[in-house]
Amino acid sequence: MDSLKSLMDKKQYDLVLKLTENSQDSLAIFYRLSALLATGHSEDALKLINAKRQILLNKPGVLMKIHIELLCLLGKFDEAYSELRYYQELPYENQETEELLNRLPKYIREEEIKVYKRQEVGQDEIRKKLLSKNDVDVLSALDAVRGQQVENFLLPILNIMKTYPKQLVRTYALLLLVAYKYDKNVEFLQNDKIITVVPKELDEPFVIKGLGNIEEVTSLFQNEYHDPSLSQNAVNVLSSYMVYIYPNQINYSKEELLVVFGYIAKELLQSKDTSLYKMCEKYGLDEQEIRMEVNKIKAHLEDF
């Protein structure tokens, strides 16, 4: 076991994990547990405790301290209280273990309060940013809401969708509710018109009927233009326009898509080969109609 301690001291955690993979020795398992925690594998450490608890109970004080602290670290406070009750029911003759058992309820409660306060502070900060008039603040707050209970922020999100000046920000608020599968009617200011939608029923964003998702469309541009910068610019413009018109969707043929957004990308890159006539001629498209589409998209994106 001295070799495992030496490896831990040298922070060679991967080697410790390899050497203790199938061990049934309690000290080796404790070293394995320490290595898992040191490498950030908290859930794996918890699984190890659950699987090898009976072996690890030969050092009950060490085990319960690690176990309860780990559960608190993972935010599993109900489970921490439950496991504490399990340990309290075991017979102990060691006074140090008894004292630890008496301290752990207070420890769990203090850790629970810390997490709650951090969440409250974080949520207050998000709400403050959602009420901001700064685009970056509002967008970052909308992004921060993901993974949380959207209902806690619903009123400011609904207000953004109806009243925020920028279409981009309004649409991102709507997309948040689409991702959350919100199933009630909401009002959304699309350009200059209020519409009523049910986010859960809306189509997926960044999908073009008949052409697939944005990754497939990216491959389409790359295969056509063989220019990574041009392809990426075309996809960026396309993505921005899809956000602008959402929940409406793109309704172009493959050829129209390649020409319209390929041409805009060429203009942005100030490409020498920027002839809309030649691009339309290649695909048999009407230059005047395509130019009207190009101008419409550019005008929308200026407002974006």
Side-chain angles (χ1 to χ4, degrees), residues 267-281:
E267 280 196 328
L268 289 172
L269 292 171
Q270 298 180 336
S271 173
K272 294 179 181 179
D273 178 25
T274 312
S275 170
L276 184 58
Y277 170 78
K278 290 182 179 179
M279 294 173 74
C280 290
E281 184 180 42

Side-chain angles (χ1 to χ4, degrees), residues 117-130:
K117 286 182 176 179
R118 283 199 300 269
Q119 289 175 343
E120 282 296 301
V121 171
Q123 289 185 0
D124 287 345
E125 184 65 24
I126 291 172
R127 290 189 188 95
K128 181 180 177 181
K129 286 187 175 183
L130 287 173

Side-chain angles (χ1 to χ4, degrees), residues 6 9 24 29 45 51-52 54 61 101 103 107 116 127 130 140 160 166 183 187 202 222 230 233 236-237 283 289:
S6 176
D9 290 341
Q24 298 299 313
I29 295 172
K52 305 292 185 180
Q54 293 306 312
L101 280 170
R103 292 197 305 269
Y107 172 81
Y116 177 77
R127 290 189 188 95
L130 287 173
S140 68
I160 288 169
K166 282 286 187 71
D183 60 359
E187 292 185 328
L202 294 177
Q222 290 173 345
L230 193 152
N233 269 273
N236 288 343
V237 174
Y283 289 108
E289 290 181 1

Side-chain angles (χ1 to χ4, degrees), residues 8 13-14 16-17 30-41:
M8 287 295 296
Y13 305 124
D14 289 341
V16 171
L17 292 173
F30 271 115
Y31 276 122
R32 180 174 184 81
L33 189 57
S34 298
L36 286 170
L37 293 171
T39 53
H41 294 87

Side-chain angles (χ1 to χ4, degrees), residues 133-161:
K133 299 301 180 185
N134 181 283
D135 297 349
V136 174
D137 282 347
V138 178
L139 287 170
S140 68
L142 289 170
D143 189 56
V145 170
R146 295 180 183 274
Q148 301 200 38
Q149 289 294 323
V150 173
E151 289 86 351
N152 294 335
F153 311 94
L154 193 56
L155 287 178
I157 291 172
L158 294 175
N159 187 59
I160 288 169
M161 289 167 53

Side-chain angles (χ1 to χ4, degrees), residues 37-48:
L37 293 171
T39 53
H41 294 87
S42 302
E43 289 287 355
D44 289 336
L46 186 57
K47 290 177 183 177
L48 179 63

